[in-house]
Amino acid sequence: MSLVNEAGYLYVYSKKLKKLNKEITRLSKKSEKHKKNHDETLDESKREKYRGKHANTTSELKTLINKHNKIVKKLTHHQSAYAH
């Protein structure tokens, strides 16, 4: 590929990576909030609610981290092609 195409790929993947990083930080804060609420609540029904919310956000985080790793892999591939 040409240098311009590789630069374009780098730009697009870096934008996707920044967007995913924002989403991961947002979800991790939500997950910590649910965990904190679960630990502080004495009512068992509310504890169950926060446990479920925490489980949902952590599963979303896992999928986002997998996407993040795939994008990083593609980004490093195109970065090395750009360098050559």
Side-chain angles (χ1 to χ4, degrees):
M1 285 192 172
S2 70
L3 191 62
V4 174
N5 286 345
E6 292 297 338
Y9 279 117
L10 287 175
Y11 178 74
V12 169
Y13 284 129
S14 66
K15 293 293 267 186
K16 287 181 182 180
L17 193 63
K18 284 176 65 174
K19 183 178 178 183
L20 271 177
N21 282 337
K22 280 185 183 179
E23 189 68 21
I24 287 172
T25 56
R26 186 184 67 81
L27 279 177
S28 65
K29 286 179 184 178
K30 280 179 90 174
S31 178
E32 288 179 13
K33 177 183 152 191
H34 295 314
K35 175 96 170 98
K36 179 180 152 265
N37 286 340
H38 173 267
D39 292 338
E40 292 177 353
T41 303
L42 299 177
D43 186 20
E44 192 58 39
S45 63
K46 288 185 180 182
R47 286 177 68 90
E48 185 65 35
K49 179 180 90 170
Y50 290 127
R51 184 181 302 129
K53 285 185 175 189
H54 178 71
N56 289 339
T57 53
T58 53
S59 65
E60 287 180 36
L61 265 172
K62 287 180 184 178
T63 59
L64 285 180
I65 288 174
N66 287 337
K67 286 181 184 179
H68 178 273
N69 291 338
K70 288 179 184 177
I71 289 177
V72 167
K73 189 175 181 180
K74 288 179 183 179
L75 191 64
T76 55
H77 167 75
H78 287 290
Q79 195 275 331
S80 65
Y82 180 79
H84 285 103

